[in-house]
């Protein structure tokens, strides 16, 4: 039995070694890395955002102008989105940004999903920014109205205080007059 186990072990070892020599060479050697894939639209947009982040206001203005000119020459979805991103970084008027991204976010077919996703994100962000500006403007108006009302109340309080002081003076004068008249009657 021991002998048969030894024979079986040797047979398995030989079969394993034989199988290794039968495998094609490409599967036993290390495989070469796959060729790099071309950048996706999402990669391109993220790289563009990184570039925008490093620009100052002047650079952002120049970039927005450059994108406007580029759209005139080669209109496209990605170009429109890049212009919208540049305008958003500049804190430009929301209506201009929305005009660029709403058609991209709304179109169900024929648009790159990465473009549609970024356009939807930018649309939402722009609408929220518009709401915040409107809320801030309303709060500013209310604060201004509250300041006017407070100033009006202060003026009324000052007027009442002056009136009170005048009445107190008249009362004191009448009291003194009454005392002087009662002092004469007692004489």
């Amino acid at each position: 039995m021991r002998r048969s186990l030894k024979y079986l072990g040797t047979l398995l070892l030989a079969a394993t070694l034989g199988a290794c020599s039968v495998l094609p060479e490409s599967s036993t050697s290390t495989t070469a890395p796959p060729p790099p894939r071309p950048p996706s639209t999402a990669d391109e947009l993220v790289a563009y955002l990184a570039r925008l982040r490093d620009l100052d206001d002047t650079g952002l203005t120049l970039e927005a102008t450059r994108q406007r000119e580029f759209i005139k020459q080669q209109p496209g979805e990605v170009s429109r989105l890049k212009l919208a991103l540049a305008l958003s970084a500049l804190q430009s008027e929301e209506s201009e940004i929305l005009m660029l991204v709403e058609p991209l976010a709304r179109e169900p077919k024929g648009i790159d999903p990465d473009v549609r996703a970024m356009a939807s994100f930018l649309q939402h962000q722009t609408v929220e920014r518009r709401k915040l500006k409107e809320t801030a403007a309303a709060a500013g108006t209310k604060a201004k109205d509250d300041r006017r009302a407070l100033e009006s109340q202060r003026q009324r309080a000052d007027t009442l205080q002056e009136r009170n002081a005048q009445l107190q003076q008249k009362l004191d004068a009448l009291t003194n007059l009454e005392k002087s008249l009662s002092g004469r009657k007692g004489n």
Side-chain angles (χ1 to χ4, degrees):
M1 172 105 160
R2 238 181 182 179
R3 199 171 178 188
S4 65
L5 284 176
K6 202 178 210 187
Y7 178 70
L8 185 60
T10 306
L11 188 59
L12 282 172
L13 181 61
T16 305
L17 289 175
C20 287
S21 65
V22 174
L23 291 174
E25 191 174 311
S26 66
S27 66
T28 58
S29 68
T30 59
T31 59
R37 66 177 175 83
S40 68
T41 306
D43 294 335
E44 181 182 349
L45 292 172
V46 169
Y48 185 72
L49 279 171
R51 200 172 116 225
L52 289 177
R53 185 186 66 216
D54 294 335
L55 297 176
D56 60 1
D57 285 345
T58 305
L60 286 170
T61 303
L62 290 172
E63 179 60 23
T65 303
R66 190 179 75 79
Q67 285 299 327
R68 279 189 179 100
E69 293 301 318
F70 187 74
I71 286 176
K72 289 177 185 174
Q73 296 169 1
Q74 294 180 337
E77 299 161 353
V78 175
S79 302
R80 290 179 65 178
L81 194 52
K82 284 182 176 181
L83 174 57
L85 288 168
L87 293 173
S88 180
L90 269 171
Q91 301 288 319
S92 292
E93 188 60 38
E94 289 81 16
S95 59
E96 186 177 7
I97 298 167
L98 290 173
M99 185 179 69
L100 290 165
V101 296
E102 280 180 339
L104 300 174
R106 214 175 339 157
E107 186 63 36
K109 296 179 184 174
I111 291 184
D112 182 334
D114 293 338
V115 170
R116 184 177 20 252
M118 182 62 86
S120 294
F121 171 75
L122 196 52
Q123 178 187 23
H124 178 74
Q125 179 185 18
T126 304
V127 167
E128 288 300 312
R129 190 171 76 192
R130 178 185 275 175
K131 287 178 186 176
L132 286 173
K133 281 184 175 179
E134 289 170 355
T135 302
T141 302
K142 184 175 178 347
K144 203 180 286 185
D145 291 345
D146 289 347
R147 277 194 299 271
R148 284 185 193 138
L150 181 62
E151 185 59 33
S152 175
Q153 286 177 351
R154 281 186 190 149
Q155 287 176 351
R156 272 188 262 141
D158 289 345
T159 303
L160 288 174
Q161 225 172 6
E162 286 176 25
R163 177 84 172 135
N164 188 26
Q166 290 171 354
L167 290 173
Q168 187 64 45
Q169 286 175 352
K170 287 180 182 179
L171 181 62
D172 290 344
L174 286 173
T175 305
N176 289 337
L177 182 61
E178 184 181 350
K179 284 181 186 176
S180 71
L181 287 176
S182 350
R184 280 191 199 169
K185 284 184 182 178
N187 285 347

